[in-house]
Amino acid sequence: MSPEKMIRMANQIAMFFETKPHAEGVNGVAAHINDFWEPRMRRQLLDHLATGGEGLRPLVLEGADLIRKPKAA
Amino acid sequence: MKDFILPDADYGTPAARAKETVTLNIDGYDVTVPAGTSIMRAAMEAGISIPKLCATDSVDAFGSCRLCLVEIDGRAGTPASCTTPVAPGIRVHTQSEAVQTIRRGVMELYASDHPVPGLTDAANGDSELQSMAARVGLREIRYQPVAQHVRQYGADGTSNPDWKPIDDSNPYFSYDPSKCIVCSLCVRACDEVQGTFALTIEGRGFDSRMSAGMADDNYLSSDCVSCGACVQVCPTGSLQEKSIAQMGLPDRSVITTCAYCGVGCNFKAEMRGDELVRMVPYKHGPANRGHSCVKGRFAYGYATHRDRILKPMIRENFSDPWKEVSWDEALGFAATRMKDIITRHGQKSVGVVTSSRCTNEESYLVQKLTRAVFMNNNTDTCARVCHSPTGYGLGQTFGTSAGTQDFDSVEHCDVALVIGANPAAAHPVFASRLKKRLRGGAKLIVVDPRRSETMEGPHYEASHHLALRPGTNVIILSALAHVIVTEKLYDEAFIRTRCDWDEFQDYAEFITDPRHSPEATEALTGVPAAEVRGAARLYATGGNAAIYYGLGVTEHSQGSTAVIGIANLAMMTGNIGRAGVGVNPLRGQNNVQGSCDMGSFPHELPGYRHVKNPEVRAIYEKAWGVEIDPEPGLRINNMLDAAIDGSFKALYCQGEDILQSDPDSQHTAAGLAAMELVIVHDLFLNETANYAHVFFPGSTFLEKDGTFTNAERRINMVRQVMAPKQGYADWEVTQLLANAMGANWTYTHPSQIMDEIAMTTPSFAGVTYEKLDRLGSIQWPCNDSAPEGTPMMHIDGFVRGKGKFIRTEYVATDERTGPRYPLLLTTGRVLSQYNVGAQTRRTENVVWYDEDILEMHPHDAENRGIRDGELVRLASRSGETSLRVWVTDKVSPGVVFTTFHHPGIMANVVTTDYSDWATNCPEYKVTAVQVSPSNGPSEWQETYERHSEQSRRILPAAE
């Protein structure tokens, strides 16, 4: 998936959870990604986060540690 | 042969609903019936059938044929039993000498101006008139008509002005005016059952004849929608299916379920040997109550269309021609390649797409194939691109994605709020039931950018039409909620007992903000604030209010948020948990509900249980003897992305044409082209098959046993009426593929698959084929606490406990109009066609719609120098295509509309890759486009046409 598409998808999730109380929002973003993103997609996102996460909204950045790391393929 | 048929008696007039009862005596027998019942119906309930021609129990009594006359002690004359209500203590005689004489006389008059059928008349055996003539003992016709309607020429050879030719304009049935007795049953069925009011009685007295439309119309040019209701009630064979004339009468019938939309109508498939003669809507079908639409009733010819592929085929590359091979060779080829890909690229490099057109049992096996044989969760289904946001939104708020009501519920509704749905085209039989209620006084609110066919009709129109700008659903839903909350129209008692009051307070604080008010949002939505306020007040205070919604809600970047907004509205007004209310997602395909129930989503095992839960995995690990992957799999769009990235290599796609139906066709094509193995399992060489390496020919719904689950969660039986033309039902093919890869599945009948589903899925725990046969259908959940199923959800409490209010902040889609693409394209369906058209395009339904048409407002057309009927180029950031334009004010200025039924147009070349934030459901309903005059097909269309031709070549089988 193109990096732009991945960033857009993650940010779309973040924007929904931005209306929730902050802590719930951070958890919500990570939980949603854990529940619905296949390991390849999470790996791509985590790799991007590891290099600074440019373009990602704050809730994604803050929830980075809560996103489950996929097992090595 | 499973030919169980419930008694199909015609009671003559509709059932009365009164609670008080009346006892009377008919032919010496005491009968007790509800007050208001007709004598005709009361007699029938006592087993006494009174002769009749103009009465049937689907329409109100009319009293025109004069055959059902009876005598009542102490009353003068011979009243018609259909229009005379029962009264306490009366004594009725249905076969006195006096009425027998009258009946014979009446029949003699009918016969005097009627063709006397010989052995070659197509109406033989299919005509109530003949049966009644026999019953009343008509033996002679003494009258010599001076004028008649029967013969084209008079005795002197001059042409007869009273004679009218047969109207053969409808492709499926014909109207012979000479056989018409002007009973007007057809007119009343069109009015009362279908609600189209296309038919009328023209002329007076002897001149009167039924006529479709105006005097110079025929059936095809009239408003007729070809639902078949008139044909079904015609007592004389004046209106008759052409198939009867061509084939003769059926000799047996089997009750089954339509394979078109999510309404799930039951039909009697009337057979002669293993040929289907006609499909007749089944009166005891709870979804359709004896009604049908043009698709289910008539458009089944695709099953025997010459395009159907009946032999398995394989090829090395999709640029090669197809080679017809044996099932063994095709299965071996597919299994070897699949295993090789898994070995080389890993177990997550392959996946499946289950079909929302196939049976529950078939979808269950396909997801089992990926989970238990491929050992991953890469399964998805058509619901991804239609109702996946319903799953998320209703799951979060109510605790289950299930629609809350049955279709009968509409009879109790006072206000129908229809959002992003056009049931008159996409769910026609439900639309007829809704319209009946609207004519009866219920109010209608429509939220749709288009003035759709549902919005207004004979004897009703929407009280409010919120013609919003595409992409602003969430704003409108929030504005409705804003009005209800700030004007305190909410149901506090319901919220306090059924929901979490604190969560409502939080939501109320959010929604009270003036930025959500209709006035503040008018500029964004284009809907006058007063209309929004009026609609909100009506929804909140108009009595039983039901929401019906479709893909105009879900197929947006904020589809899930909009579904949450809908749930919020229903909860705050207390419109949940009783007849006439609720939240009703109108499902697109016949079994899209079922395919979701069966675990077709990549994060859920059957019954909507997340794969991350070890206790759920344990059930399947025990049943299947394998380890279940705890990670969610890829969704369709993710599969295509991964294919382009090189990590997804093989797909088994059953009964779904993802190339035509999924958005951004060029992206889909690139994804498919990047795979090493695409297995298409379908009736036809569909568009996806242009990129396939293996083709498994599929079976139609007429050729297999199984179940479909409709939008009411109703599990309906599908019964085999003929042997599969290509050798195997689809579930057998999936089993053969699994076994060719080393599984050891041993199902010999779909009932065994259902037993496994019931054993492993709590909401199906009580479902068996035996019970389905006995009850006719079952709405899940069906278990120990609801052994006969659950017609209505959330009666005493929500599935999740307390209903949850969730904030619904509007986020504009990234798809914006601008100078290059100034118009918004939205997409939908028409009545005569279905989905990608693979079935309906291969029937006579093409007489109504043989190409996709672009609807455009006159103002936008004028600006571009475009005239009605011209070819135009429709372009977006994704691609472009050419199609014909219809200049109409059904759409607002700035909005254009088309359908995706025809691959030659391929509307999805234009739609974008944007999708719902929660579920990746594509944003079909909003694409920024430009439209300009055109003189031919787009480059994509030409290239694709060439590719299709190349790709569909089939080598003759080796000798």
Side-chain angles (χ1 to χ4, degrees):
Chain A
M1 167 167 51
S2 75
E4 299 77 35
K5 185 168 172 181
M6 174 195 69
I7 292 165
R8 187 175 69 235
M9 279 167 51
N11 285 346
Q12 276 183 291
I13 297 167
M15 278 188 274
F16 176 78
F17 284 99
E18 280 165 18
T19 56
K20 306 239 177 190
H22 185 73
E24 194 186 332
V26 172
N27 283 314
V29 171
H32 190 91
I33 289 172
N34 286 336
D35 276 357
F36 296 104
W37 284 32
E38 201 258 0
R40 262 166 278 195
M41 299 163 67
R42 295 208 309 274
R43 187 173 304 117
Q44 192 183 351
L45 178 64
L46 287 168
D47 287 350
H48 183 67
L49 280 163
T51 59
E54 197 190 336
L56 290 168
R57 296 179 77 88
L59 279 195
V60 188
L61 298 172
E62 286 178 54
D65 291 343
L66 301 171
I67 297 173
R68 196 169 65 248
K69 289 182 185 45
K71 280 189 222 144
Chain B
M1 185 56 52
K2 284 202 173 60
D3 193 349
F4 99 107
I5 298 181
L6 294 171
D8 218 3
D10 184 351
Y11 286 79
T13 64
R17 286 197 176 174
K19 293 205 172 58
E20 52 286 13
T21 57
V22 169
T23 302
L24 69 161
N25 185 286
I26 303 178
D27 292 347
Y29 297 95
D30 281 340
V31 189
T32 302
V33 291
T37 301
S38 70
I39 289 177
M40 175 182 278
R41 187 175 179 104
M44 192 65 189
E45 290 190 9
I48 298 165
S49 153
I50 300 175
K52 63 180 177 55
L53 284 169
C54 77
T56 188
D57 50 16
S58 60
V59 297
D60 288 338
F62 193 61
S64 96
C65 77
R66 314 317 292 170
L67 218 56
C68 72
L69 308 184
V70 292
E71 283 193 290
I72 302 171
D73 286 353
R75 288 198 197 175
T78 49
S81 64
C82 62
T83 52
T84 309
V86 294
I90 58 172
R91 302 187 75 82
V92 178
H93 306 280
T94 73
Q95 291 291 359
S96 67
E97 204 175 312
V99 296
Q100 286 181 9
T101 307
I102 296 172
R103 284 184 195 139
R104 239 186 329 266
V106 169
M107 273 309 303
E108 191 176 353
L109 284 166
Y110 280 127
S112 70
D113 186 22
H114 201 82
V116 179
L119 289 175
T120 57
D121 193 296
N124 284 344
D126 197 29
S127 159
E128 192 89 344
L129 190 69
Q130 287 181 356
S131 318
M132 289 304 151
R135 271 186 68 184
V136 305
L138 179 68
R139 292 292 172 261
E140 59 175 342
I141 303 165
R142 292 163 298 173
Y143 306 108
Q144 289 304 317
V146 181
Q148 44 83 17
H149 298 94
V150 178
R151 283 177 291 278
Q152 188 172 0
Y153 300 103
D156 56 358
T158 56
S159 66
N160 173 9
D162 293 324
W163 178 85
K164 286 187 176 153
I166 292 173
D167 178 352
D168 261 332
S169 60
N170 184 292
Y172 299 115
F173 59 85
S174 59
Y175 166 48
D176 181 351
S178 76
K179 291 182 189 165
C180 174
I181 58 166
V182 205
C183 69
S184 96
L185 259 179
C186 51
V187 177
R188 288 178 284 139
C190 189
D191 297 355
E192 294 177 37
V193 178
Q194 166 57 28
T196 297
F197 291 71
L199 308 182
T200 187
I201 301 294
E202 198 183 66
R204 285 159 170 257
F206 185 76
D207 291 334
S208 54
R209 273 292 166 275
M210 189 277 279
S211 163
M214 308 294 282
D216 51 358
D217 274 321
N218 59 26
Y219 250 98
L220 199 60
S221 67
S222 74
D223 288 342
C224 166
V225 292
S226 195
C227 69
C230 56
V231 181
Q232 202 181 332
V233 294
C234 179
T236 68
S238 177
L239 286 160
Q240 193 180 43
E241 296 90 351
K242 289 181 179 174
S243 60
I244 299 286
Q246 284 154 7
M247 303 169 73
L249 288 182
D251 47 37
R252 65 189 172 103
S253 75
V254 181
I255 293 165
T256 190
T257 303
C258 178
Y260 282 117
C261 79
V263 175
C265 299
N266 289 144
F267 277 87
K268 286 202 291 190
E270 297 194 343
M271 308 296 298
R272 191 179 63 180
D274 66 351
E275 279 180 307
L276 180 57
V277 180
R278 65 179 166 191
M279 292 282 275
V280 179
Y282 182 48
K283 184 166 173 175
H284 304 287
N288 55 317
R289 301 282 173 206
H291 192 38
S292 60
C293 82
V294 61
K295 294 184 286 260
R297 176 81 150 92
F298 295 118
Y300 49 79
Y302 68 87
T304 49
H305 194 275
R306 65 180 182 281
D307 284 355
R308 225 184 121 183
I309 304 289
L310 300 175
K311 294 205 175 94
M313 303 191 295
I314 58 171
R315 57 185 173 190
E316 277 300 315
N317 301 299
F318 61 77
S319 53
D320 299 335
W322 285 108
K323 191 170 74 166
E324 291 181 348
V325 294
S326 67
W327 275 107
D328 276 351
E329 190 175 348
L331 288 159
F333 180 89
T336 308
R337 277 205 168 193
M338 191 65 90
K339 282 192 283 194
D340 174 56
I341 289 168
I342 293 171
T343 310
R344 284 187 292 119
H345 299 282
Q347 67 191 41
K348 297 198 177 191
S349 64
V350 302
V352 299
V353 171
T354 75
S355 176
S356 294
R357 291 173 203 158
C358 289
T359 63
N360 286 316
E361 293 75 5
E362 286 164 341
S363 286
Y364 178 86
L365 283 198
V366 173
Q367 63 89 33
K368 179 174 176 178
L369 175 71
T370 210
R371 293 200 156 108
V373 181
F374 301 168
M375 308 293 285
N376 62 44
N377 286 310
N378 294 332
T379 169
D380 211 352
T381 190
C382 158
R384 172 68 49 214
V385 300
C386 64
H387 265 295
S388 52
T390 294
Y392 182 83
L394 296 187
Q396 293 288 312
T397 48
F398 296 166
T400 169
S401 64
T404 63
Q405 313 294 115
D406 57 13
F407 284 128
D408 283 349
S409 168
V410 75
E411 293 170 13
H412 306 278
C413 122
D414 301 309
V415 179
L417 171 54
V418 177
I419 311 175
N422 183 15
H427 303 88
V429 170
F430 165 70
S432 288
R433 300 187 67 179
L434 171 65
K435 288 176 184 181
K436 183 166 190 167
R437 181 67 198 108
L438 294 172
R439 289 193 306 276
K443 298 279 190 284
L444 173 67
I445 304 166
V446 172
V447 183
D448 197 310
R450 252 173 107 223
R451 208 176 68 235
S452 73
E453 299 89 324
T454 303
M455 213 199 84
E456 56 191 337
H459 304 289
Y460 81 89
E461 65 177 328
S463 304
H464 301 281
H465 177 205
L466 313 185
L468 76 179
R469 193 176 152 79
T472 60
N473 284 333
V474 169
I475 310 184
I476 282 284
L477 291 164
S478 290
L480 291 168
H482 173 91
V483 175
I484 293 168
V485 171
T486 56
E487 297 188 4
K488 300 212 181 310
L489 306 175
Y490 51 83
D491 182 343
E492 184 171 334
F494 182 90
I495 301 168
R496 281 190 184 274
T497 52
R498 301 288 305 277
C499 307
D500 184 315
W501 183 251
D502 290 339
E503 277 171 357
F504 177 69
Q505 291 298 308
D506 173 73
Y507 175 77
E509 183 196 324
F510 162 80
I511 208 75
T512 302
D513 190 299
R515 75 179 196 281
H516 297 301
S517 74
E519 292 73 20
T521 52
E522 185 173 325
L524 287 170
T525 61
V527 182
E531 279 294 307
V532 179
R533 286 199 178 270
R537 289 167 190 152
L538 178 57
Y539 175 73
T541 64
N544 285 341
I547 297 177
Y548 293 91
Y549 74 93
L551 307 186
V553 166
T554 54
E555 290 176 346
H556 288 276
S557 64
Q558 274 200 293
S560 292
T561 314
V563 173
I564 291 170
I566 284 172
N568 287 341
L569 283 176
M571 288 189 291
M572 75 177 69
T573 54
N575 278 310
I576 288 286
R578 61 180 192 276
V581 301
V583 173
N584 304 275
L586 295 169
R587 313 271 170 180
Q589 301 215 54
N590 54 321
N591 199 38
V592 74
Q593 176 76 53
S595 72
C596 296
D597 302 342
M598 292 301 107
S600 295
F601 284 142
H603 63 284
E604 284 170 341
L605 286 154
Y608 304 97
R609 293 166 295 164
H610 203 286
V611 293
K612 70 184 175 188
N613 298 316
E615 66 282 5
V616 179
R617 289 201 308 278
I619 296 169
Y620 292 91
E621 289 176 345
K622 182 158 170 265
W624 297 345
V626 295
E627 197 177 324
I628 305 281
D629 185 354
E631 286 282 9
L634 294 166
R635 300 174 280 204
I636 295 179
N637 16 22
N638 310 145
M639 290 179 196
L640 295 166
D641 285 331
I644 291 169
D645 292 345
S647 69
F648 188 84
K649 295 291 184 186
L651 179 68
Y652 170 42
C653 184
Q654 182 177 74
E656 173 75 7
D657 192 355
I658 58 173
L659 182 56
Q660 195 183 335
S661 63
D662 283 31
D664 195 359
S665 310
Q666 301 189 57
H667 178 74
T668 309
L672 289 167
M675 295 181 201
E676 290 180 16
L677 174 64
V678 175
I679 305 171
V680 166
H681 187 176
D682 208 291
L683 300 175
F684 304 104
L685 279 175
N686 61 17
E687 306 311 307
T688 307
N690 289 342
Y691 293 89
H693 309 85
V694 176
F695 187 91
F696 292 148
S699 52
T700 71
F701 75 113
L702 300 166
E703 297 165 346
K704 56 196 177 193
D705 287 317
T707 56
F708 292 153
T709 308
N710 76 354
E712 318 162 279
R713 298 167 276 107
R714 186 184 301 285
I715 308 162
N716 271 316
M717 291 300 274
V718 179
R719 293 189 174 87
Q720 180 175 335
V721 299
M722 56 178 80
K725 291 193 184 308
Q726 41 28 307
Y728 293 111
D730 296 333
W731 62 270
E732 293 178 284
V733 175
T734 304
Q735 170 161 286
L736 286 166
L737 178 62
N739 288 347
M741 291 186 65
N744 187 25
W745 297 356
T746 55
Y747 307 105
T748 56
H749 190 269
S751 64
Q752 298 158 348
I753 306 174
M754 183 53 86
D755 292 344
E756 184 175 315
I757 296 166
M759 186 183 76
T760 52
T761 312
S763 51
F764 279 69
V767 179
T768 63
Y769 273 35
E770 179 276 320
K771 196 188 279 184
L772 282 164
D773 275 338
R774 181 158 45 84
L775 300 176
S777 64
I778 298 171
Q779 286 173 274
W780 65 258
C782 172
N783 46 34
D784 285 346
S785 55
E788 300 207 336
T790 312
M792 203 184 305
M793 302 290 291
H794 316 299
I795 293 176
D796 299 313
F798 285 97
V799 168
R800 73 183 297 279
K802 296 275 188 188
K804 186 176 176 64
F805 284 95
I806 300 176
R807 293 183 174 207
T808 52
E809 190 66 72
Y810 170 65
V811 179
T813 168
D814 290 332
E815 180 70 4
R816 310 263 163 92
T817 54
R820 283 184 65 205
Y821 302 107
L823 302 169
L824 284 178
L825 168 72
T826 186
T827 57
R829 294 182 181 182
V830 296
L831 171 67
S832 59
Q833 299 291 332
Y834 175 71
N835 201 273
V836 296
Q839 294 137 293
T840 45
R841 277 186 281 114
R842 292 181 173 94
T843 68
E844 300 287 343
N845 278 25
V846 291
V847 305
W848 288 282
Y849 198 73
D850 62 355
E851 58 182 325
D852 294 312
I853 301 283
L854 186 75
E855 294 178 11
M856 184 179 221
H857 191 272
H859 178 77
D860 292 325
E862 177 73 24
N863 279 347
R864 288 166 178 75
I866 291 169
R867 277 171 306 205
D868 192 39
E870 284 183 345
L871 199 61
V872 293
R873 183 154 292 209
L874 174 70
S876 75
R877 292 177 186 93
S878 293
E880 57 183 58
T881 188
S882 289
L883 71 175
R884 277 185 205 288
V885 70
W886 175 30
V887 178
T888 170
D889 65 358
K890 281 178 82 165
V891 288
S892 308
V895 177
V896 291
F897 169 89
T898 193
T899 53
F900 60 103
H901 300 308
H902 291 275
I905 312 288
M906 197 73 113
N908 281 322
V909 167
V910 178
T911 54
T912 70
D913 193 22
Y914 293 144
S915 65
D916 174 50
W917 68 267
T919 66
N920 274 173
C921 179
E923 187 167 52
Y924 289 105
K925 302 294 186 184
V926 188
T927 310
V929 294
Q930 178 58 294
V931 179
S932 52
S934 165
N935 52 16
S938 72
E939 201 180 312
W940 154 270
Q941 281 169 299
E942 285 181 341
T943 314
Y944 186 76
E945 174 72 30
R946 273 198 303 277
H947 171 67
S948 285
E949 271 173 32
Q950 280 291 102
S951 159
R952 290 195 168 124
R953 288 169 301 156
I954 301 175
L955 286 180
E959 290 301 314

